[in-house]
Amino acid sequence: FQASRAASLLPQLLLRRRPAPAGAFALLARPASSASGGLPPLTTEIHPGIKRGAFSQLTDADLSAFEAIVGGDHVIKDADEVLSYNIDWLRICRGQGQLVLRPKTTEEVSAIVRHCNKRRLAVVPQGGNTGLVGGSVPLFDEIVISTSRMNSLLSIDPVSGVLVAEAGCVLEQLDREAASQGLMMPLDLGAKGSCQIGGNLATNAGGLRLLRYGSLRGTTLGLEAVLPTGQVLDCLTTLRKDNTGYDIKQLLIGSEGTLGIITKAAILCPARPKSVQLAFLGLDSFQAVLDTYRLARRSLGEILSAFEFIDSESMRAVKQNLGLSCPLGEHSFYVLAETSGSNETHDREKLDGFIESVMSMDGCATDGTVAQDAGQFAHLWSLRERIVESLLVDGYEYKYDVSLPLADIYRLVEHMRTRLDGRVIRTAGYGHLGDGNLHLNFTTPKFDAKVLELIEPHVFDWVRDRRGSVSAEHGLGLKKSQYIRHSKADFAVRVMAEVKRLLDPNGIMNPYKVLPDE
């Protein structure tokens, strides 16, 4: 075991940690070059039961109206350019959208949406298009409204820690700006190099820091949004305490673009840690993973900032498909335990004590290392963050994001591995153990309807029967909308539908997503 400490790690290494998966931009920019060679099937071919809503068809008069609002250069009609906006990052969804609009201001978004609502033209809000449940791309011919040009940082208050930005700001860029003031974004994702803060809020993205900093529902102080009628909802407060009436912004957070388009946000940023340490452990049973997490909570306490687990199949994928090297030997499971604090001596002592305890406990970690510099730090995190990318190399990926009681998390992986034995290339499980979030993945050379039938709805039924959630952090989008009642009571779903009808009477805002088709 390498007991060397990460003494040379600087706070700035957080700017380099967890980059967007290598190749992510290529996948978005060149959708025709998939691992299986060609375009993914149309989403309507995979879900033939979904019928186009009673929306209007795009006309030349509509194009003229949009050009008057955003300018001709930002009305994208070319089929090749539009194609990348129709395909999701996982390359499992392909819509039939014919038009992309790229507004620069809230006023332009409002004018676009007002026109679409009047004409009953369906729209899809789209940020960095890094979603994983088909929520950010069209299904039929919905108009894509991209927030990419709305990318201004409006203010940072170094005293209060409040950052105000437009929705199209890329998460990694915001984190760089926050770092200049000794702050950090409370959210950290593998796709931080391309995802946008508006989309993060719309999906209530969780990520790797939730264990320490909580969800966006708690760190978002205010937001501005354009509602489906074109009206601008101004709730852009920067106050930490505002107990006046209903907290309407919470309706928009996690609504996945079905209730409006978020245009600005005020985020409370924590102080950037001066000391960051990372331990990487090898374990030979999932019970050992649970025991190690319990010990980490007790030993590391307030400085524990991430606790991730990786199973052997996930590790095998990053090694075989991406050529990454693992510094440890073969193990059934691996754990990344990260600490973030303000006193390096204090944090090192705590981490050393944790490592000593976990290595001396019977049935716990049997191997491990500690990052000694920024390069090792980044490499260890890449073993976790590039798993999704590595699985895509297999061909087609069936991806599930669920919450379960900790004792049940890996039982689901084992159950599905037995159920799909011989029918898939691999069954892989990894995730955020600190918040009970499992990422369950299956791969085949190409889409296989019979494999999908074995997975769905069985995996959702299994989660429901153990009072879990069918979506921990990715949202429902198109892929899971019909399973919302597996996690929400029928009356709660009816209330959601009433809210949708109230705010979006014509149903134009991201149709076919989140709520079931009834």
Side-chain angles (χ1 to χ4, degrees):
F1 184 84
Q2 299 176 15
S4 303
R5 302 182 177 105
S8 62
L9 291 180
L10 301 174
Q12 285 78 9
L13 64 81
L14 285 171
L15 296 176
R16 296 188 290 266
R17 66 184 278 195
R18 307 173 187 160
F25 294 101
L27 283 169
L28 290 172
R30 297 194 299 273
S33 58
S34 70
S36 56
L39 295 174
L42 289 171
T43 310
T44 51
E45 295 174 357
I46 298 176
H47 301 280
I50 303 177
K51 305 302 179 184
R52 185 181 185 277
F55 301 112
S56 299
Q57 300 282 349
L58 194 64
T59 66
D60 289 340
D62 295 319
L63 293 176
S64 297
F66 295 141
E67 289 172 353
I69 295 170
V70 300
D73 290 344
H74 304 297
V75 176
I76 302 175
K77 297 172 285 186
D78 180 77
D80 290 337
E81 291 187 68
V82 172
L83 183 58
S84 64
Y85 293 87
N86 271 306
I87 299 176
D88 71 327
W89 189 80
L90 282 178
R91 301 186 57 79
I92 59 175
C93 294
R94 177 162 66 98
Q96 303 169 60
Q98 303 168 13
L99 183 69
V100 178
L101 303 176
R102 301 177 70 244
K104 178 65 177 174
T105 67
T106 299
E107 291 72 26
E108 290 180 358
V109 175
S110 176
I112 290 168
V113 174
R114 189 180 301 112
H115 177 90
C116 290
N117 185 57
K118 182 179 178 180
R119 285 272 295 116
R120 297 182 71 94
L121 294 166
V123 302
V124 175
Q126 187 177 107
N129 197 17
T130 57
L132 300 173
V133 289
S136 61
V137 292
L139 178 60
F140 295 100
D141 57 349
E142 300 86 41
I143 297 168
V144 175
I145 301 178
S146 169
T147 57
S148 295
R149 293 179 64 227
M150 303 177 68
N151 56 4
S152 295
L153 173 64
L154 302 178
S155 65
I156 303 180
D157 185 338
V159 178
S160 67
V162 178
L163 177 150
V164 182
E166 291 184 320
C169 289
V170 173
L171 179 60
E172 186 173 51
Q173 294 172 346
L174 289 180
D175 197 48
R176 292 180 190 277
E177 296 292 342
S180 70
Q181 302 295 327
L183 304 170
M184 65 186 287
M185 292 297 288
L187 175 68
D188 193 7
L189 303 173
K192 68 188 298 180
S194 50
C195 67
Q196 298 174 11
I197 191 63
N200 297 151
L201 287 163
T203 57
N204 189 30
L208 300 154
R209 288 179 180 164
L210 190 140
L211 174 65
R212 173 70 174 273
Y213 300 108
S215 77
L216 285 171
R217 291 193 181 278
T219 55
T220 303
L221 302 181
L223 56 77
E224 175 191 84
V226 174
L227 299 183
T229 57
Q231 294 172 293
V232 178
L233 177 69
D234 185 358
C235 295
L236 195 62
T237 180
T238 59
L239 303 174
R240 295 189 68 174
K241 300 180 79 172
D242 179 12
N243 199 17
T244 53
Y246 304 130
D247 191 2
I248 299 178
K249 71 175 182 294
Q250 295 294 347
L251 282 177
L252 277 298
I253 299 172
S255 67
E256 302 182 54
T258 61
L259 299 181
I261 302 176
I262 295 172
T263 51
K264 296 186 180 86
I267 307 293
L268 182 62
C269 298
R272 203 169 197 88
K274 297 179 180 179
S275 165
V276 183
Q277 321 282 335
L278 182 64
F280 184 55
L281 307 172
L283 309 98
D284 294 323
S285 72
F286 192 70
Q287 184 58 51
V289 174
L290 295 177
D291 292 342
T292 301
Y293 174 57
R294 181 182 180 187
L295 183 60
R297 292 185 64 194
R298 187 166 64 241
S299 302
L300 302 175
E302 78 287 352
I303 64 171
L304 182 63
S305 52
F307 194 95
E308 301 287 308
F309 84 93
I310 305 167
D311 74 357
S312 58
E313 198 61 59
S314 301
M315 184 62 71
R316 194 171 295 117
V318 297
K319 290 163 61 176
Q320 292 176 347
N321 292 349
L322 301 181
L324 298 185
S325 60
C326 176
L328 306 184
E330 294 291 330
H331 295 279
S332 299
F333 297 93
Y334 303 85
V335 158
L336 284 159
E338 180 194 84
T339 67
S340 302
S342 59
N343 186 312
E344 185 175 338
T345 301
H346 168 268
D347 296 351
R348 279 201 321 239
E349 289 176 353
K350 279 203 162 189
L351 185 64
D352 286 348
F354 163 69
I355 290 172
E356 183 178 351
S357 297
V358 79
M359 294 296 291
S360 63
M361 285 179 59
D362 290 338
C364 239
T366 56
D367 194 6
T369 186
V370 176
Q372 301 178 63
D373 55 42
Q376 291 183 8
F377 188 94
H379 177 73
L380 291 177
W381 269 115
S382 72
L383 295 172
R384 162 63 179 85
E385 296 211 313
R386 297 185 67 183
I387 294 173
V388 176
E389 179 190 355
S390 72
L391 294 172
L392 285 171
V393 176
D394 282 348
Y396 190 90
E397 182 179 0
Y398 311 77
K399 186 170 185 59
Y400 299 86
D401 156 63
V402 301
S403 286
L404 284 163
L406 293 184
D408 289 322
I409 279 185
Y410 207 72
R411 291 173 185 165
L412 175 56
V413 181
E414 294 170 331
H415 171 75
M416 294 304 296
R417 186 170 286 144
T418 300
R419 181 176 175 86
L420 297 174
D421 184 41
R423 296 178 178 270
V424 298
I425 296 174
R426 70 180 90 238
T427 298
Y430 62 94
H432 318 298
L433 193 73
D435 47 59
N437 183 181
L438 168 69
H439 295 306
L440 175 63
N441 306 265
F442 316 96
T443 61
T444 55
K446 61 182 180 179
F447 173 72
D448 187 328
K450 292 183 178 179
V451 169
L452 184 62
E453 288 176 2
L454 286 172
I455 299 172
E456 297 181 16
H458 183 80
V459 71
F460 299 129
D461 293 343
W462 199 96
V463 170
R464 175 200 59 200
D465 293 345
R466 287 151 185 83
R467 299 187 64 83
S469 172
V470 298
S471 178
E473 62 181 1
H474 294 165
L476 294 168
L478 174 72
K479 291 174 59 180
K480 299 181 183 180
S481 61
Q482 302 303 313
Y483 299 104
I484 188 172
R485 288 188 175 86
H486 279 57
S487 300
K488 290 290 186 289
D490 182 69
F491 181 65
V493 177
R494 297 206 308 270
V495 170
M496 294 179 199
E498 288 297 322
V499 172
K500 170 71 171 174
R501 280 190 285 269
L502 175 66
L503 296 181
D504 187 10
N506 290 327
I508 67 162
M509 192 63 68
N510 213 9
Y512 323 110
K513 318 290 176 56
V514 180
L515 294 177
D517 181 15
E518 296 176 338

